[in-house]
Amino acid sequence: MQDRQNKVLFYGPLGKKKKFIVGGGETGNYRTIYLLKKNNYEVSILQKPYPEKNVFGYGVYIIKMMLIIIAMTFRLLTKKINIVHISGFYLHLIYHEFFLVTISKMFKKKCIYELRGGGVVESYNNRSFIYRLFFRATLNNASVILCQGKSYIDFLKKITTVPVFHYPNFILNEFLTTPSGLNGTSSKIELVYFGRLAKSKNIDLIIQTCSELQKQNVNFNLELIGKGDRKYIEHIKELCEYNNLSDKINITPPVKHQLLKQKLNKKHFFLFPSNEKREGHSNALTEAMSLGVVPVCSNAGFNAEIVGDNNLIVSEFTPLSYASVVNNIWKAGQWKQYSSSVANRIKKNYTEQIVEDILVKAYNYN
């Protein structure tokens, strides 16, 4: 890529200092920055602040958000910035993001407005007239729009004439390897969940699904990999004990990519019954599938379009529903078939090279 017009000001959340990043938004932003630098863009970063969840903390947060507007204006005045990339989360942030996009336009900079996470259509339909007004104005003031979910593209094209690109999460080349070749005939089913251990991710239902499998005399292990609120972790452990599952469920802290890959190469099913309201394109789901770990997941966010197989999407939040999908695939000897299918789907749709080409095309769009 040529070096002309290659200086980018990137705004978005990138995690708190000295803390392990498990959020999909932060991970996605780091990967975008990685792709930009890989393509010879000079990236200047303006980090979105995080609120502390108390009255004083929210007050400080509001001040910091106002200062972000001043900081962006100052950088556009003093730095040779050609492109502004705003990683947006709309909802209550749309008003702030409107000012950032509008300032970029005032300074005649190319503005990439990226819609991260799920909830675009729902928030537009259910929120106020004022929200819809600001949302449309934000889109219309941008130069290019990136959207995480393909299912939102047609909707966005109805309310703006600004070009929209489907920009999904993806697998890094270093993570994309040939699955280990596990078979589906071993005596024990290896289950896994990794990511945030939070109520919205429905970890309770994963434990209850294991209880149902135990009632059906299925031989299995489950590994929960991640971190969460201390009280919620204690709740999970108590739920395991209550259901006599402590010897079958192992809870481990987050691990680096290389070790995660080693762990996933020994797993059969990825349980993901998320009911997260803002569920978007789950990095965990994509990474699990890339290594042939068969997902059994809810219809939250973009799960269905990523998985591409309704047999693996569970419409009911019941332990029996999830246990039945796992047990039926295993008993029918179909695990290997599903494993190969989901791994190939990632290779055809969500690799670093595929998504890098989309980003470069969006940045070069005139």
Side-chain angles (χ1 to χ4, degrees), residues 115-366:
L115 293 163
R116 295 205 61 85
V120 169
V121 177
E122 297 83 355
S123 59
Y124 186 85
N125 289 335
N126 297 326
R127 289 188 168 232
S128 68
F129 167 77
I130 298 298
Y131 175 85
R132 290 191 288 274
L133 187 68
F134 272 84
F135 185 79
R136 289 196 302 270
T138 304
L139 297 183
N140 290 330
N141 283 337
S143 307
V144 173
I145 297 165
L146 302 180
C147 182
Q148 204 176 74
K150 184 179 286 187
S151 56
Y152 289 162
I153 302 297
D154 288 342
F155 166 79
L156 291 170
K157 287 183 176 180
K158 290 178 182 178
I159 62 175
T160 184
T161 57
V162 174
V164 181
F165 289 81
H166 177 221
Y167 180 64
N169 284 339
F170 61 93
I171 298 298
L172 292 168
N173 287 340
E174 64 185 45
F175 200 85
L176 190 64
T177 57
T178 303
S180 65
L182 278 178
N183 60 52
T185 59
S186 62
S187 61
K188 185 175 291 185
I189 303 176
E190 297 292 343
L191 308 172
V192 68
Y193 166 85
F194 61 103
R196 282 192 300 121
L197 300 180
K199 185 177 181 181
S200 62
K201 296 297 184 179
N202 230 343
I203 309 301
D204 287 42
L205 183 54
I206 295 177
I207 306 301
Q208 292 160 1
T209 297
C210 289
S211 180
E212 181 62 38
L213 287 171
Q214 186 165 249
K215 291 176 184 176
Q216 297 178 17
N217 296 316
V218 176
N219 191 11
F220 69 90
N221 277 329
L222 166 69
E223 186 168 11
L224 298 173
I225 306 171
K227 70 173 183 177
D229 178 77
R230 181 181 58 80
K231 289 184 178 179
Y232 188 67
I233 299 295
E234 289 302 317
H235 164 73
I236 293 172
K237 292 179 179 178
E238 290 171 2
L239 193 60
C240 291
E241 291 177 6
Y242 178 79
N243 288 282
N244 297 316
L245 292 167
S246 297
D247 61 334
K248 292 181 176 291
I249 298 177
N250 185 33
I251 303 173
T252 57
V255 296
K256 298 296 183 182
H257 254 169
Q258 195 58 39
L259 180 55
L260 177 62
K261 187 162 58 175
Q262 293 174 17
K263 284 178 172 289
L264 292 181
N265 267 323
K266 299 175 183 178
K267 307 299 182 184
H268 294 109
F269 292 95
F270 172 61
L271 299 183
F272 191 53
S274 173
N275 57 5
E276 173 72 60
K277 290 181 180 179
R278 295 298 311 280
E279 193 69 64
H281 183 146
S282 167
N283 284 303
L285 174 60
T286 314
E287 290 171 350
M289 289 173 62
S290 74
L291 294 174
V293 186
V294 179
V296 181
C297 55
S298 69
N299 197 28
F302 309 130
N303 288 354
E305 69 178 66
I306 297 163
V307 173
D309 189 335
N310 287 334
N311 292 325
L312 302 175
I313 303 297
V314 183
S315 58
E316 298 177 347
F317 288 105
T318 65
L320 181 59
S321 298
Y322 280 84
S324 295
V325 173
V326 171
N327 210 3
N328 290 342
I329 290 174
W330 195 257
K331 284 184 175 179
Q334 296 178 322
W335 180 83
K336 189 65 177 179
Q337 170 190 330
Y338 278 103
S339 177
S340 297
S341 176
V342 298
N344 287 332
R345 181 163 179 79
I346 298 303
K347 289 178 181 178
K348 291 179 180 179
N349 296 280
Y350 304 112
T351 64
E352 180 178 322
Q353 187 59 59
I354 290 171
V355 178
E356 180 180 346
D357 290 344
I358 294 171
L359 185 65
V360 170
K361 185 178 180 182
Y363 264 66
N364 288 334
Y365 189 91
N366 293 316

Side-chain angles (χ1 to χ4, degrees), residues 79-93:
K79 305 291 183 181
K80 293 182 179 180
I81 302 294
N82 308 110
I83 302 171
V84 178
H85 187 128
I86 297 169
S87 177
F89 289 81
Y90 44 101
L91 295 181
H92 65 281
L93 292 170

